[in-house]
Amino acid sequence: MTPHADSPIRLANGDSPEVQEPLYSANDFITNGFGEEPTDPRVNRSHLRYTPEDELHDLVCVGFGPASLAIAVALHDALDGTDPSLDIRGLQIESPKVAFLERQQQFAWHAGMLLPGARMQITFMKDMATLRNPRSEFTFINYLFRKDRLIEFTNLNTFLPQRAEYEDYMRWCARWFEEVVQYDQEVLKIVPEKSPNGSDTISTFTVLSQNLQTGEIQSRRTKHVVIASGGRPNIPKPFPTSHPKVVHSSQFSHISTKLLQDFQHPYNVAVIGNGQSAAEIFNFLHVHYPNTRTRLLIKGGALRPSDDSPFVNEIFNPSRVDSTYSRDPELRRTTIAEDRNTNYGVVRLNLLEEIYETLYTQRIRFGNTPAAEEQWPHRILPHRQVEKVENSPVIKDGIRLYVRDRSPLYLSDSPNAQEKEEILDVDVVFVATGYHRDLHETLLQDARSLMPGGDQEGAKWTVQRDYKVQFAEKKLGNDAGVWLQGCCESSHGLSDTLLSILATRGGEMVKSIFENKST
């Protein structure tokens, strides 16, 4: 699903948006006033300062998304002295030498699903700082104040800002740290270095990255590394991974208007998935492409609502990470699976109701018989599994899907019903099937000899409670290490990839890394 984003609303006048790239972008904020600071002439600049590449760093963060941004904010607050929980002596003696390396050209948070009107699913109180340090410069409330919108926002009477505004908030935070962030940097690998005293103990790491603008390979030595590279789009078999008409949901707003340029054209579109992102795309196509035939293929029998009730939501409390990590591994797997309907393969209830009303309106317009349903422009096809993908022989540059239809086994009135095969020819397929979060395994390939059991096939890196990667005994110095962010769900719980605990976790990371800082 789209992390913590509610469903998009329709334009008030019913018009379709103009063709643009993407559908909604940071540039819109600048032209519409989001990017201005009319009430405060001060230049936003954090307490962190640029460190030349050839100097030994205290910390290099791989990626500069929300997880790394929360660490940067916590570091600023520690240096600023506004957070008593981050009174770290080593940071007061000497300002840390840090760098953040980000593959994107600028800060962006799920920009490919930044659909008009989408709202957050969690309270703005779970921002980059408030739950750790309400006095921080980086609270969402201070952002509104600095943008001269605080009073008007209170009149909205909501804790759920528009997703576009929340991303602008995070961009505003990120701009404070431009001095220590290098964009267009793709990290290639992280290489451990042995101690200069000749022992086998690792005291530093070399982070190799490529400048995507120049192609230059750059090298930075550091004592500590945080890998917070985010997820890589998951395009499952049998879908091809590089076909121009098979598009992952993460790229929807960037690519959809290139592939579907005419909002009145009768395109044929398939959407794969049963979570929030799939439902948002399905609904967006219905609203803005009224003549398109859209098919949403889901494995189960129905779209299901997410559970965001208050008692269940306590699983996202920062304190729950301790109990989750301490739990017996088998029990932890069971409880995480039980709670997956808070985030995976589920849809916000208001969007479900809107989609259901769309389908009901089609019953009025086109008829309510099975034969009439075949002609509906927008349909949800349950119990479907795509078995094979080929180029379409009937749609130019299109895609043919061979679909296993198991719905007769569940929905037929006749006994002994059999599953069947369907063929769908479409102009484009949007695949909303989640993300892989395992890039750290590739980046740490050169360190596998230091992994406990690293010579065993299929061995994976594990982490301690403070997210620090576990190396073999006596292989790592006291003031060195690697930490993982956003890929520890199996050990730390469902909040690991979400926004809910970022402020608190950012502070925990700063303490874990810098409390033992040598001077």
Side-chain angles (χ1 to χ4, degrees):
M1 68 183 285
T2 303
H4 290 152
D6 211 339
S7 60
I9 59 176
R10 306 185 186 198
L11 302 181
N13 60 7
D15 291 340
S16 298
E18 297 179 0
V19 177
Q20 55 185 322
E21 178 194 356
L23 294 171
Y24 218 45
S25 71
N27 293 331
D28 299 327
F29 305 151
I30 296 173
T31 57
N32 293 328
F34 278 76
E36 302 169 359
E37 293 191 21
T39 62
D40 196 333
R42 293 179 298 168
V43 175
N44 293 342
R45 189 184 186 207
S46 79
H47 295 315
L48 303 177
R49 295 292 172 262
Y50 171 76
T51 302
E53 293 175 26
D54 57 357
E55 288 191 23
L56 177 63
H57 290 61
D58 293 302
L59 170 65
V60 171
C61 284
V62 179
F64 192 60
S68 287
L69 178 59
I71 294 172
V73 167
L75 268 173
H76 174 95
D77 287 356
L79 297 171
D80 198 49
T82 61
D83 186 348
S85 71
L86 296 179
D87 184 14
I88 301 173
R89 182 173 179 271
L91 291 177
Q92 304 305 323
I93 295 174
E94 181 181 10
S95 183
K97 298 178 178 180
V98 303
F100 298 86
L101 306 180
E102 170 56 48
R103 189 181 190 280
Q104 299 182 100
Q105 295 181 347
Q106 61 183 356
F107 183 91
W109 176 63
H110 294 287
M113 281 298 294
L114 191 62
L115 302 181
R119 290 191 175 275
M120 298 295 293
Q121 291 180 6
I122 63 171
T123 170
F124 65 79
M125 301 285 283
K126 294 184 176 182
D127 56 26
M128 295 294 105
T130 297
L131 297 188
R132 173 183 49 79
N133 177 23
R135 296 183 297 173
S136 171
E137 289 263 16
F138 296 93
T139 66
F140 184 77
I141 291 292
N142 188 49
Y143 156 81
L144 290 172
F145 177 76
R146 293 282 293 272
K147 296 288 187 175
D148 197 26
R149 295 199 305 272
L150 179 57
I151 293 175
E152 288 76 13
F153 183 86
T154 63
N155 291 337
L156 292 175
N157 196 31
T158 183
F159 280 90
L160 305 176
Q162 291 187 43
R163 188 168 181 265
E165 182 175 32
Y166 199 82
E167 188 191 43
D168 185 63
Y169 154 68
M170 288 194 286
R171 289 179 184 272
W172 176 81
C173 292
R175 282 195 290 271
W176 287 66
F177 300 97
E178 288 184 351
E179 192 169 334
V180 292
V181 181
Q182 299 294 315
Y183 292 102
D184 285 310
Q185 290 286 334
E186 181 173 15
V187 174
L188 304 176
K189 60 181 177 178
I190 299 164
V191 182
E193 296 180 347
K194 293 183 179 180
S195 175
N197 61 16
S199 71
D200 290 335
T201 302
I202 302 302
S203 59
T204 57
F205 299 84
T206 296
V207 180
L208 295 174
S209 63
Q210 183 178 30
N211 186 311
L212 296 179
Q213 292 292 330
T214 66
E216 175 189 4
I217 302 298
Q218 298 178 350
S219 174
R220 292 170 177 82
R221 295 179 62 245
T222 182
K223 297 178 182 178
H224 311 97
V225 181
V226 169
I227 302 177
S229 52
R232 296 180 295 116
N234 171 39
I235 300 182
K237 294 180 179 179
F239 295 100
T241 58
S242 58
H243 196 287
K245 296 298 184 70
V246 177
V247 180
H248 190 266
S249 58
S250 61
Q251 297 299 308
F252 177 74
S253 66
H254 297 301
I255 294 178
S256 60
T257 51
K258 292 181 178 179
L259 300 178
L260 309 174
Q261 296 185 13
D262 183 354
F263 287 95
Q264 301 303 318
H265 187 78
Y267 297 108
N268 289 280
V269 179
V271 182
I272 311 298
N274 59 340
Q276 182 75 16
S277 292
E280 286 186 5
I281 292 172
F282 179 74
N283 192 57
F284 182 91
L285 293 170
H286 153 68
V287 173
H288 299 293
Y289 293 86
N291 298 319
T292 289
R293 291 174 58 84
T294 310
R295 300 293 181 261
L296 175 60
L297 280 64
I298 63 176
K299 290 183 178 179
L303 296 176
R304 300 185 181 278
S306 56
D307 188 347
D308 62 349
S309 55
F311 289 108
V312 170
N313 253 353
E314 288 191 344
I315 68 172
F316 300 116
N317 288 358
S319 60
R320 286 294 183 94
V321 177
D322 286 326
S323 59
T324 299
Y325 185 83
S326 301
R327 206 168 291 157
D328 174 80
E330 184 58 37
L331 181 59
R332 184 169 61 221
R333 281 191 292 271
T334 301
T335 52
I336 289 176
E338 289 175 351
D339 293 330
R340 285 180 66 85
N341 67 341
T342 60
N343 187 56
Y344 294 108
V346 288
V347 184
R348 293 282 288 181
L349 181 59
N350 63 335
L351 179 55
L352 290 179
E353 292 171 343
E354 183 174 348
I355 291 174
Y356 194 87
E357 184 173 355
T358 294
L359 301 183
Y360 180 80
T361 301
Q362 292 183 144
R363 296 180 189 277
I364 299 173
R365 180 179 177 185
F366 298 100
N368 198 28
T369 65
E373 185 176 347
E374 294 284 341
Q375 305 306 314
W376 290 3
H378 308 284
R379 296 181 63 199
I380 298 175
L381 304 181
H383 303 295
R384 289 335 196 256
Q385 176 73 43
V386 177
E387 299 286 324
K388 187 169 66 170
V389 178
E390 294 180 348
N391 291 328
S392 173
V394 298
I395 295 180
K396 183 181 179 182
D397 299 324
I399 295 287
R400 170 163 285 188
L401 306 179
Y402 293 87
V403 181
R404 181 184 179 189
D405 176 11
R406 305 184 73 239
S407 62
L409 304 181
Y410 297 89
L411 305 175
S412 176
D413 295 333
S414 304
N416 303 317
Q418 300 294 314
E419 61 185 44
K420 54 187 179 181
E421 182 182 79
E422 290 179 326
I423 295 178
L424 293 180
D425 289 287
V426 296
D427 293 282
V428 61
V429 180
F430 294 109
V431 183
T433 47
Y435 298 85
H436 294 295
R437 300 186 183 274
D438 57 0
L439 183 59
H440 61 282
E441 298 288 348
T442 300
L443 297 180
L444 292 173
Q445 186 64 34
D446 287 352
R448 284 189 66 86
S449 62
L450 307 173
M451 176 197 293
D455 55 346
Q456 300 176 6
E457 185 177 355
K460 304 292 184 182
W461 290 100
T462 57
V463 294
Q464 302 169 11
R465 164 61 185 88
D466 64 352
Y467 304 92
K468 188 176 184 180
V469 169
Q470 293 182 325
F471 286 83
E473 189 175 358
K474 297 181 180 180
K475 292 294 186 180
L476 191 68
N478 292 330
D479 190 21
V482 177
W483 285 256
L484 302 184
Q485 295 283 271
C487 48
C488 305
E489 181 181 284
S490 61
S491 57
H492 287 67
L494 289 167
S495 62
D496 186 69
T497 63
L498 306 178
L499 299 177
S500 300
I501 64 169
L502 286 189
T504 303
R505 191 174 73 185
E508 292 176 352
M509 295 290 294
V510 169
K511 287 195 287 187
S512 177
I513 294 168
F514 289 101
E515 275 190 328
N516 295 323
K517 181 179 184 292
S518 60
T519 57

